Amino acid sequence: MKLEKELGLKAGITSVAHETLLNIYHTGDMLKKRARQFFLPYGITDVQFNLMELLCYQADREAGLSQAGLSRMLVVHPSNVTSLVDRMEKAELVTRTDVPGDRRYNAVRLTPKGREVLDHVEDAYMKEVDRVMEVLSESEMEILIGSLERIREGLRP
Amino acid sequence: MKLEKELGLKAGITSVAHETLLNIYHTGDMLKKRARQFFLPYGITDVQFNLMELLCYQADREAGLSQAGLSRMLVVHPSNVTSLVDRMEKAELVTRTDVPGDRRYNAVRLTPKGREVLDHVEDAYMKEVDRVMEVLSESEMEILIGSLERIREGLRP
DNA sequence: GGCAGATAGTTTATATATCAACTATTTATA
DNA sequence: TATAAATAGTTGATATATAAACTATCTGCC
C-alpha cells in the first residue's frame, strides 16, 4: 500500500525522492516495532538482543567486547552503551570485567543466563525474519540491498 | 559497502533475509541521524519538523489537527504526542486550542513562528533529500518503494 | 434518558538515543 | 622524559519512544 494511504495523508508526497526516503524510514520503523513486540515475551528488547548477538558472534568468548567496540558496531553513542550495559548487567544478561594490561577497558561478556536467553530466542527470531522477508525473491533482496548500500555510500561524511 | 564491513563485523551475516532486514533498519537509522544533524542549526528536531509538515499540509489552517490525528500520521503512541506538543508549545512552534463542540479534542496549530521556521527550512530540506537520493534513478526508486511496500504489507497485523 | 463502550488526552515508569563535559588511562611525539 | 593527543568510559541534561492506568467526554443503543 502507498505510504500516503497507509498513514492516512490527504495530500500527496510531492517528490519520488522524498517518497523513497520516507518509505525507507517508515519501513525500518515498522520492522523495529515488530522486533520489539517479538522479543517482549522473552523479557529482552530488540536492542539488547542485538548486543547479545554481537557478544556471541563477534567476540572470543573469553575476551568479550569493549563498550567502545559495541558502540561502533551498534552505531550508537558510547554513553548509550553505558546505560544499556547497566540495565543488562542488572538483568544478569552480561557482565563487565577488568581487562588486564589496559585499565581503560571493560570486557563485556554474556552470562550463562544471557547465553541461555539467546539460545532460546535465536531460532525463532531467524524464522520470523524469513517469514517477514519471504515476500521478496532472493534477487529482489539483492537489488534492494544494493540500492540501500548506494544510498548509505552517499551519506558518508 | 557491505553492511558487515561498514559495521566492522568479523563474522558474516548468515542469511540474505537477515541481511536485507538489517540493511533497511540501518539505512533508516542513518537517514534519521542525518536528518537530525540537518535540522540542528535551525533549532528543531527531525520529529518536530515532521509534525510541523503535517500541520502545514494535512490540516485546514483554521482547524489544525488533533493529537490523536498526529499520533496516527506519525505512527507513534498518543502519549508521545503529548510530550512532543508540550515541548513544541514551550518553544512557541505550535499551540493547543479547545475545539468548540467536542471538549475531548485539542486543535494543534502552527504559530507564526512555527510557520516561519518551516518556510525557512523546507526548501533546503527538499534539496538535501534530492541530493541524498540522486544515487538512484527514478525507476530504481520506484522498485525500491515497491519492495518496501510489499514488506510492510506482510507486516500488517 | 441512561449507560456501555469508544475516543481523546495525560501521567508515570521505563528504554533508547544524543551531546557536552568530565575522569582516567594509554600512546605518540617533541 | 615530559607532555600533548587519543582512547575508554561515565554523568547529567534533554528528546523520543512505549505501555499501563487514569480522567474526561462523546456516541450508540436499549
Side-chain angles (χ1 to χ4, degrees):
Chain A
M1 196 194 276
K2 279 282 160 217
L3 191 58
E4 303 162 11
K5 195 171 178 188
E6 205 175 320
L7 302 180
L9 306 186
K10 72 173 184 191
I13 297 158
T14 44
S15 84
V16 187
H18 199 197
E19 188 185 350
T20 306
L21 186 147
L22 293 175
N23 262 274
I24 297 168
Y25 179 64
H26 179 58
T27 309
D29 202 43
M30 292 297 97
L31 288 171
K32 188 175 172 61
K33 284 179 162 79
R34 164 64 65 101
R36 180 188 172 80
Q37 290 305 318
F38 176 83
F39 289 114
L40 210 56
Y42 300 96
I44 58 173
T45 65
D46 54 320
V47 176
Q48 291 171 3
F49 174 78
N50 290 338
L51 190 150
M52 290 199 286
E53 283 272 287
L54 292 177
L55 291 184
C56 186
Y57 296 112
Q58 303 299 321
D60 296 330
R61 189 183 282 228
E62 292 306 303
L65 289 172
S66 69
Q67 295 186 196
L70 288 166
S71 161
R72 282 187 290 266
M73 291 186 261
L74 292 168
V75 197
V76 299
H77 198 277
S79 68
N80 194 356
V81 177
T82 299
S83 56
L84 185 53
V85 171
D86 282 350
R87 284 186 297 273
M88 294 179 76
E89 221 177 9
K90 197 177 292 179
E92 298 182 324
L93 298 167
V94 302
T95 54
R96 283 181 173 101
T97 322
D98 290 348
V99 172
D102 193 332
R103 291 165 57 190
R104 291 172 304 180
Y105 285 82
N106 290 329
V108 181
R109 289 206 206 82
L110 278 177
T111 61
K113 182 184 167 191
R115 186 164 298 273
E116 199 182 291
V117 171
L118 199 55
D119 285 348
H120 191 242
V121 82
E122 205 170 28
D123 269 10
Y125 173 67
M126 285 308 170
K127 283 203 186 74
E128 176 77 356
V129 170
D130 286 343
R131 247 194 312 278
V132 167
M133 288 300 157
E134 78 188 359
V135 296
L136 300 184
S137 69
E138 195 125 335
S139 72
E140 285 175 315
M141 290 193 233
E142 268 149 20
I143 289 165
L144 179 50
I145 290 170
S147 293
L148 295 174
E149 282 168 359
R150 266 192 289 151
I151 291 169
R152 291 201 308 275
E153 209 74 48
L155 281 177
R156 241 207 285 284
Chain B
M1 197 196 276
K2 279 283 159 215
L3 191 58
E4 304 164 10
K5 194 171 175 184
E6 205 175 322
L7 302 179
L9 306 186
K10 73 174 183 188
I13 297 157
T14 46
S15 85
V16 186
H18 199 198
E19 187 184 352
T20 306
L21 186 147
L22 293 175
N23 261 274
I24 297 168
Y25 179 64
H26 180 57
T27 309
D29 201 43
M30 293 295 98
L31 287 170
K32 188 174 171 60
K33 283 178 163 79
R34 165 62 67 99
R36 181 190 170 79
Q37 289 305 317
F38 176 83
F39 289 115
L40 210 55
Y42 299 97
I44 58 173
T45 66
D46 53 321
V47 176
Q48 292 171 3
F49 174 78
N50 290 338
L51 191 151
M52 291 199 285
E53 284 271 289
L54 291 177
L55 291 182
C56 186
Y57 296 112
Q58 303 298 321
D60 297 330
R61 188 183 286 226
E62 292 307 303
L65 290 173
S66 68
Q67 294 185 195
L70 288 167
S71 162
R72 282 185 290 267
M73 290 187 261
L74 292 168
V75 197
V76 298
H77 198 279
S79 67
N80 193 358
V81 177
T82 300
S83 55
L84 185 52
V85 172
D86 282 350
R87 283 186 297 274
M88 293 178 76
E89 220 176 11
K90 196 177 293 180
E92 297 180 327
L93 297 168
V94 302
T95 54
R96 281 181 173 102
T97 321
D98 290 347
V99 171
D102 194 332
R103 290 164 59 190
R104 291 172 303 178
Y105 285 81
N106 290 329
V108 180
R109 289 207 206 80
L110 278 177
T111 61
K113 182 185 166 190
R115 187 164 298 274
E116 199 181 290
V117 171
L118 200 55
D119 285 348
H120 191 241
V121 81
E122 205 169 27
D123 270 10
Y125 173 67
M126 286 307 170
K127 283 202 186 75
E128 177 76 356
V129 170
D130 286 343
R131 248 195 312 279
V132 168
M133 289 299 157
E134 80 187 358
V135 295
L136 301 183
S137 71
E138 196 126 334
S139 72
E140 285 174 315
M141 289 192 236
E142 269 149 20
I143 290 166
L144 179 49
I145 290 170
S147 293
L148 295 175
E149 280 168 0
R150 268 193 286 152
I151 290 169
R152 292 201 306 275
E153 209 74 48
L155 280 178
R156 243 207 284 284

